[in-house]
Amino acid sequence: MLWMMEFTPALNPESEAPLYRQLYQNIAERIRSGSLAKGKRLPATRELAGLLGVNRATISAAYEILENEGLISGHVGRGSFVTGEGGGPSAAIDWGSLLERGEAPSSTPSAEFSKDVISFVMSRPSRALFPLDDFRASCAAVLKRGNLPDILQLGSPSGYEPLRRRLWDDARAQGLAGPGDDLMVTNGCQQALDLAARALLRPGDIVLVEDPVYTGLKNLFLGHGARLSGIPVGPDGMDMAQLERALERERPRLIVVTSNFQNPTGATLPLAARRALLDAARAAGVPVVENDAYGELRYHGEPVPALKQLDEHGGTVLLRSFSKISFPGLRVGWAVGPKPLIDRMRQAKEASDLHTDQLSQAVLLEFLESGSLEAHRARVLRAGAERLAATLDACARSMPAGARWTRPEGGMNVWLRLPAPLDAGDLLPRAQNDGVAYMPGRYFAVSRVDRSALRLSFAGLEPDEIRRGIEILGKIVRGEIASSSRSSEPAPAMV
Amino acid sequence: MLWMMEFTPALNPESEAPLYRQLYQNIAERIRSGSLAKGKRLPATRELAGLLGVNRATISAAYEILENEGLISGHVGRGSFVTGEGGGPSAAIDWGSLLERGEAPSSTPSAEFSKDVISFVMSRPSRALFPLDDFRASCAAVLKRGNLPDILQLGSPSGYEPLRRRLWDDARAQGLAGPGDDLMVTNGCQQALDLAARALLRPGDIVLVEDPVYTGLKNLFLGHGARLSGIPVGPDGMDMAQLERALERERPRLIVVTSNFQNPTGATLPLAARRALLDAARAAGVPVVENDAYGELRYHGEPVPALKQLDEHGGTVLLRSFSKISFPGLRVGWAVGPKPLIDRMRQAKEASDLHTDQLSQAVLLEFLESGSLEAHRARVLRAGAERLAATLDACARSMPAGARWTRPEGGMNVWLRLPAPLDAGDLLPRAQNDGVAYMPGRYFAVSRVDRSALRLSFAGLEPDEIRRGIEILGKIVRGEIASSSRSSEPAPAMV
């Protein structure tokens, strides 16, 4: 049954595909690839549900599909057994070998748990805060407009022009765009990153990224055939000395930096480091992609100018999005940067999907122009400040000596490092069992794996849930430390 | 002034970026690249407007931006002159050399003309037919739902589950999906093509496509580093003998085929050819991408089963979309195919943009389930039949002997070949001047350029506009033939 332990990491968290489908796919792939051989017994639904911390019905649903497809068969009282490789009639195409090339994204734990699990897994806003009436009012205003047929008709790869113009005017007013710049609308920051990669990367190119970094960013660049070089992130963001060395030695094609409230660490790059980064990048002739999905979510402290604002030499493209400050289900973000790059990204956009959905672009413009976005942001900032404070307080109260965590001034994530010799990944099944879930640090690792670390995404949880969740986690951690100090040599000091 | 002639092909049609921006960008790029040297005089606005068949205000708007950016300067009575390379302060990044690699998509004529030009340029539905009240009702129903917060929250790369399930059930019921298949939602067919390319292609791979073929498909695969091999399309679709030869000799990675009402020719692959294609692809072990954006737009004749329906060996992925039968401004399509491929496409989707916009997914599901889509489709089919008939009748009435055109049974496009020695691209400026525009055949060419050909996209025009437009075109063509037979040797017979 040891293979069962691998189920947890093989489910995909940030995606929200229903868990039963993920489980089903996971098992089906193992059967087709032969790693789960014919005749093997699957764990009982109750057993697997307990291990994964999900409802038994979820497991049953997955097994049912497997059975319908002839991959397993169930025998009352004896359990379910692998019966074949499914797939229907004889396959003409050897999909396995056709698809083998290319880095499949590394899988990550599931975002879906039974109701009793307090999940710090997803870096996303709280749905309880969505201002549904304001959103409805924005939709209603758009639907009444005379230009509704334009919204429904084929649009421009640059974006819905009224939105593009508004974003451009704002960017100009904020000093984020100069005369050599242009702006285009994208499907959130994720697509803007993808388009920048399509415009700039050749397979084998080196990309400098923070280490640890958001899994979706890692997978995206690896999928384009890039080699990633991780620059360690401390409480003050990327390590500038290491960045400068890497620029000299590795001749990277691109630097990608999350300037504010970095995912997963929550770190913000200070002003001096921003200037140093721009100087170093300029000297090396390397463009900077400033990924700033979280910048508008500052709960306290002074805002720091964007790299794009500080860059007087046209080497930076800034990516922003409505997702984190309004509705992630609507995929609208934008990129502001040097015209030649934006031109190429626009061509890549047209090849990718023609243009961004115009209904959502029009609705978000109305949400912005009606003042609803600003009102919503004020509520989100109050709620975020409260949730961040609850997270930091609970860590201080519940975590044992030796634990370390970041103290972000905004965003959605706190990075927690457990005392040695604990491994946050090893602890996860037990944590889920006890009613709390998080993302182990190893999913964010680029060049260095920090097994002690984990990400706490607090924005989607109520302060009370946060306190209870971290209390549970603290108990587990203290228990583990007690038992490890009894059973082994003293752990080395943490540095 | 000869360089002016190149303006027309350098503007981009299917994209709808405002013409003034396209013009501005076009000229700015020429100045920055040095192909328009400092000191050179730009054509007067009136002159350029006449040549391009657009409003003078459009030209003035483009010149104004160029002037604001210090790229040109205007002198009353003398005209506008190239003054510099703009771009503000000294650039740190050599964007020109960073971006030089990679095939920039070939540019195509503009979709935006002065009101007086009857434009057959865009393959898109008529906005006059959009059922605005039904659309508003679908939005209202979605906004009232209890699951609105789920729609606004981060979603799944597989698609909004209620829509995905409905599409899956329909696909199963229609025999389009078997037990080895899966379905995912995409941002229209364009993104589905892109995801299939990301999942399957390595740079340098050969892809078999129809010749001529939709420009957006060509640019997409070229952008992924593929080499395209064009299989000629006749009135009955791809030439099967040549396809079989190409499969043997060229060892392609992939076949992409538009089975119904192909863009640009309007051709539909007959049943026997579908079976032959599947047999050949299966024998060669090559997967088939069935691009079927137009399949639901059959105006007369018997429907032919999809390749996906006929393929019993799991080698085909079928791409469909709401765009052509409802609202292209909402970017929702889907792909049904073998699970291993859909799994990999889903990973690529997650890297590309996390998931498709959920507001539009929910609205289109409601539009479908309320019966509005079927009612709209019935209206679109009546209107399309009328417009196609008007196109074919007008060609028969207005075109001289020696002209040939396809007779599609649906879709949005007719392919017209002018009598030798006419070149449809050369004729375009004159046609625009006389009040009609179209896409010259060369923009669709893969391996063979047919300069006599042009695409008439009729779906967005009223029957009366179609008749007037083709009448104008017929006059020009007849006039050109008369003058060319006076001024040169007799043209060879057209074969």
Side-chain angles (χ1 to χ4, degrees):
Chain A
M1 285 300 157
L2 253 182
W3 63 271
M4 279 172 50
M5 299 302 294
E6 291 163 32
F7 270 178
T8 313
L11 301 178
N12 191 333
E14 315 244 2
S15 86
E16 286 201 347
L19 186 53
Y20 74 91
R21 282 199 67 80
Q22 292 194 45
L23 235 189
Y24 146 70
Q25 275 159 7
N26 189 297
I27 303 177
E29 271 170 34
R30 284 161 191 272
I31 295 175
R32 289 203 194 91
S33 71
S35 80
L36 254 181
K38 203 164 164 173
K40 196 140 190 174
R41 193 176 75 84
L42 294 186
T45 53
R46 182 197 307 270
E47 195 180 349
L48 191 52
L51 186 72
L52 297 177
V54 301
N55 287 322
R56 211 173 143 190
T58 303
I59 314 289
S60 304
Y63 281 17
E64 200 179 311
I65 315 179
L66 290 164
E67 190 157 358
N68 287 343
E69 296 191 356
L71 289 165
I72 66 172
S73 92
H75 301 274
V76 179
R78 288 174 51 211
S80 297
F81 294 83
V82 176
T83 49
E85 295 174 16
S90 68
I93 303 295
D94 179 2
W95 290 108
S97 78
L98 272 176
L99 296 168
E100 78 184 328
R101 64 102 213 177
E103 207 110 3
S106 59
S107 301
T108 35
S110 170
E112 204 179 286
F113 300 98
S114 61
K115 293 274 176 207
D116 302 337
V117 172
I118 297 172
S119 171
F120 291 88
V121 170
M122 303 284 289
S123 180
R124 65 180 179 190
S126 164
R127 43 176 277 160
L129 294 174
F130 290 154
L132 300 181
D133 286 339
D134 289 354
F135 178 76
R136 290 187 187 106
S138 293
C139 290
V142 166
L143 293 173
K144 261 187 231 143
R145 291 231 190 94
N147 78 338
L148 182 57
D150 297 329
I151 293 167
L152 301 177
Q153 185 57 286
L154 200 62
S156 162
S158 301
Y160 174 59
E161 187 57 20
L163 175 65
R164 206 197 71 82
R165 205 179 310 122
R166 168 66 196 245
L167 295 171
W168 175 248
D169 292 344
D170 289 355
R172 290 301 296 253
Q174 295 160 26
L176 291 168
D181 286 327
D182 200 355
L183 181 148
M184 68 179 291
V185 174
T186 62
N187 307 344
C189 281
Q190 184 76 25
Q191 190 184 44
L193 286 167
D194 186 52
L195 299 176
R198 287 170 83 131
L200 286 163
L201 283 190
R202 297 156 310 191
D205 278 346
I206 291 178
V207 178
L208 300 187
V209 297
E210 290 130 341
D211 190 0
V213 79
Y214 159 58
T215 320
L217 191 153
K218 224 169 71 173
N219 291 341
L220 163 59
F221 284 99
L222 291 174
H224 282 289
R227 288 177 294 152
L228 299 183
S229 173
I231 309 296
V233 182
D236 282 346
M238 263 191 181
D239 180 318
M240 280 304 127
Q242 296 218 35
L243 176 74
E244 283 162 24
R245 265 201 303 279
L247 277 169
E248 260 171 45
R249 290 183 196 165
E250 304 187 27
R251 306 185 152 273
R253 181 81 175 171
L254 204 60
I255 304 172
V256 184
V257 55
T258 304
S259 39
N260 298 303
F261 322 126
Q262 196 247 1
N263 181 3
T265 64
T268 292
L269 204 62
L271 185 59
R274 291 181 191 222
R275 295 198 198 277
L277 187 152
L278 287 171
D279 286 347
R282 188 190 172 205
V286 174
V288 177
V289 176
E290 183 177 19
N291 178 31
D292 192 27
Y294 295 99
E296 303 261 11
L297 295 179
R298 174 172 284 279
Y299 309 136
H300 54 82
E302 278 301 302
V304 191
L307 289 161
K308 182 74 186 73
Q309 249 160 328
L310 299 169
D311 179 7
E312 291 173 355
H313 302 281
T316 305
V317 59
L318 171 66
L319 317 183
R320 287 199 165 156
S321 170
F322 285 109
S323 300
K324 302 290 180 185
I325 53 161
S326 62
F327 315 107
L330 274 53
R331 309 294 314 141
V332 183
W334 62 97
V336 201
K339 281 178 215 289
L341 176 63
I342 299 289
D343 279 352
R344 190 57 67 90
M345 287 171 64
R346 189 188 301 110
Q347 290 168 357
K349 169 76 179 166
E350 197 161 358
S352 297
D353 60 2
L354 300 186
H355 64 79
T356 293
D357 193 282
Q358 294 199 127
L359 179 59
S360 287
Q361 288 188 73
V363 167
L364 284 170
L365 174 61
E366 175 63 29
F367 194 72
L368 172 65
E369 293 196 325
S370 64
S372 293
L373 180 64
E374 203 39 50
H376 176 53
R377 189 168 154 255
R379 282 189 300 268
V380 166
L381 290 183
R382 279 194 301 276
E386 203 186 345
R387 286 154 203 232
L388 172 59
T391 307
L392 298 177
D393 290 351
C395 284
R397 215 177 8 248
S398 306
M399 288 298 146
R404 299 274 180 274
W405 55 92
T406 54
R407 286 165 180 78
E409 300 189 317
M412 298 184 168
N413 300 295
V414 164
W415 186 245
L416 170 64
R417 291 160 78 205
L418 304 177
L422 299 193
D423 180 315
D426 289 351
L427 238 54
L428 183 60
R430 186 165 154 213
Q432 290 179 9
N433 208 47
D434 289 1
V436 63
Y438 52 79
M439 285 281 281
R442 66 166 179 266
Y443 295 108
F444 305 98
V446 181
S447 311
R448 299 152 196 81
V449 181
D450 182 351
R451 300 200 155 265
S452 77
L454 60 94
R455 185 185 75 177
L456 293 174
S457 296
F458 56 82
L461 295 171
E462 297 295 326
D464 190 52
E465 294 176 302
I466 291 171
R467 283 184 280 267
R468 279 191 293 128
I470 294 177
E471 194 182 328
I472 294 170
L473 189 56
K475 254 185 220 160
I476 298 170
V477 171
R478 289 194 308 267
E480 287 288 323
I481 289 175
S483 70
S484 83
S485 67
R486 277 194 305 273
S487 67
S488 70
E489 297 195 319
M494 188 167 166
V495 287
Chain B
M1 284 303 159
L2 253 184
W3 64 268
M4 280 172 50
M5 299 305 293
E6 291 163 32
F7 269 180
T8 315
L11 301 177
N12 191 333
E14 315 242 4
S15 85
E16 284 200 347
L19 185 53
Y20 74 90
R21 281 200 68 79
Q22 292 194 44
L23 236 188
Y24 146 69
Q25 275 160 7
N26 188 297
I27 303 178
E29 271 169 35
R30 283 161 191 273
I31 294 175
R32 289 203 194 89
S33 71
S35 81
L36 254 181
K38 201 165 165 173
K40 195 139 189 174
R41 193 175 78 82
L42 294 186
T45 53
R46 183 197 305 269
E47 197 180 350
L48 191 52
L51 185 71
L52 297 177
V54 302
N55 286 323
R56 212 173 142 188
T58 303
I59 313 289
S60 304
Y63 281 17
E64 200 180 310
I65 315 180
L66 290 165
E67 191 157 357
N68 287 343
E69 296 190 358
L71 289 166
I72 66 172
S73 91
H75 301 274
V76 178
R78 287 176 50 212
S80 299
F81 293 83
V82 175
T83 49
E85 293 174 17
S90 68
I93 302 295
D94 180 3
W95 289 109
S97 78
L98 272 176
L99 296 167
E100 78 184 329
R101 65 101 212 176
E103 206 110 5
S106 60
S107 302
T108 35
S110 170
E112 204 179 286
F113 300 98
S114 60
K115 292 274 173 206
D116 301 337
V117 172
I118 297 171
S119 171
F120 290 89
V121 169
M122 303 283 291
S123 180
R124 64 181 181 190
S126 165
R127 42 176 277 159
L129 294 175
F130 289 155
L132 300 181
D133 286 339
D134 289 354
F135 178 76
R136 289 186 187 107
S138 294
C139 290
V142 166
L143 294 173
K144 261 186 231 144
R145 290 232 193 91
N147 78 338
L148 183 57
D150 296 330
I151 292 167
L152 300 178
Q153 186 56 287
L154 200 63
S156 161
S158 301
Y160 174 59
E161 187 56 20
L163 175 65
R164 208 198 69 82
R165 205 178 312 122
R166 168 66 197 245
L167 295 171
W168 175 249
D169 291 344
D170 289 355
R172 291 299 297 252
Q174 295 160 27
L176 291 168
D181 286 325
D182 200 355
L183 182 148
M184 68 179 289
V185 174
T186 62
N187 307 344
C189 282
Q190 184 75 25
Q191 189 183 45
L193 285 167
D194 187 52
L195 299 176
R198 288 170 85 131
L200 286 163
L201 282 190
R202 297 157 309 192
D205 278 346
I206 291 178
V207 177
L208 300 187
V209 297
E210 290 130 341
D211 190 1
V213 79
Y214 158 58
T215 320
L217 191 153
K218 223 168 71 173
N219 291 341
L220 162 62
F221 284 98
L222 290 174
H224 281 288
R227 288 178 294 153
L228 299 183
S229 174
I231 309 295
V233 182
D236 283 346
M238 264 191 181
D239 180 318
M240 281 304 126
Q242 297 217 34
L243 175 74
E244 283 162 24
R245 266 200 303 277
L247 278 168
E248 259 171 45
R249 290 183 195 164
E250 306 188 24
R251 307 185 152 271
R253 183 80 174 173
L254 203 61
I255 306 172
V256 184
V257 56
T258 304
S259 39
N260 298 302
F261 322 126
Q262 194 248 1
N263 181 0
T265 64
T268 292
L269 203 62
L271 184 59
R274 293 182 188 219
R275 295 199 198 278
L277 186 153
L278 288 170
D279 286 348
R282 188 193 173 200
V286 174
V288 177
V289 176
E290 182 178 20
N291 179 29
D292 192 27
Y294 295 99
E296 302 262 10
L297 294 178
R298 173 172 284 279
Y299 309 137
H300 54 83
E302 277 302 302
V304 191
L307 288 161
K308 182 77 185 73
Q309 249 160 328
L310 298 170
D311 179 6
E312 290 173 355
H313 303 281
T316 305
V317 58
L318 170 66
L319 318 182
R320 286 198 167 158
S321 170
F322 285 109
S323 300
K324 302 289 181 184
I325 53 161
S326 61
F327 314 108
L330 275 53
R331 309 293 314 140
V332 182
W334 61 98
V336 201
K339 283 179 216 288
L341 175 62
I342 299 288
D343 279 352
R344 190 57 67 92
M345 287 171 64
R346 189 188 302 111
Q347 290 168 356
K349 169 77 181 166
E350 197 161 359
S352 298
D353 60 3
L354 300 185
H355 63 80
T356 293
D357 193 283
Q358 294 199 128
L359 178 59
S360 287
Q361 288 188 73
V363 167
L364 284 170
L365 174 61
E366 174 62 29
F367 193 73
L368 172 66
E369 293 195 325
S370 64
S372 293
L373 180 64
E374 203 38 49
H376 176 53
R377 191 169 153 251
R379 282 188 301 268
V380 165
L381 290 184
R382 278 194 302 275
E386 204 187 344
R387 286 153 204 234
L388 172 60
T391 307
L392 299 178
D393 289 352
C395 283
R397 217 178 6 249
S398 307
M399 288 297 146
R404 300 272 180 276
W405 56 92
T406 54
R407 285 166 181 77
E409 299 189 316
M412 298 186 168
N413 300 295
V414 164
W415 187 243
L416 170 62
R417 292 161 76 206
L418 303 178
L422 300 192
D423 180 316
D426 290 351
L427 238 56
L428 183 59
R430 176 150 169 228
Q432 290 181 6
N433 208 48
D434 290 1
V436 62
Y438 52 79
M439 285 281 280
R442 64 166 179 265
Y443 295 109
F444 305 98
V446 181
S447 312
R448 299 152 197 82
V449 182
D450 183 351
R451 299 199 156 266
S452 77
L454 60 93
R455 185 186 76 177
L456 294 173
S457 295
F458 57 81
L461 296 171
E462 297 294 326
D464 190 51
E465 295 176 302
I466 292 171
R467 281 184 283 266
R468 278 190 292 127
I470 294 178
E471 194 181 328
I472 295 170
L473 188 57
K475 255 185 219 159
I476 298 170
V477 171
R478 288 195 309 269
E480 288 288 324
I481 289 176
S483 71
S484 83
S485 67
R486 275 194 306 272
S487 68
S488 69
E489 297 194 323
M494 188 168 167
V495 286

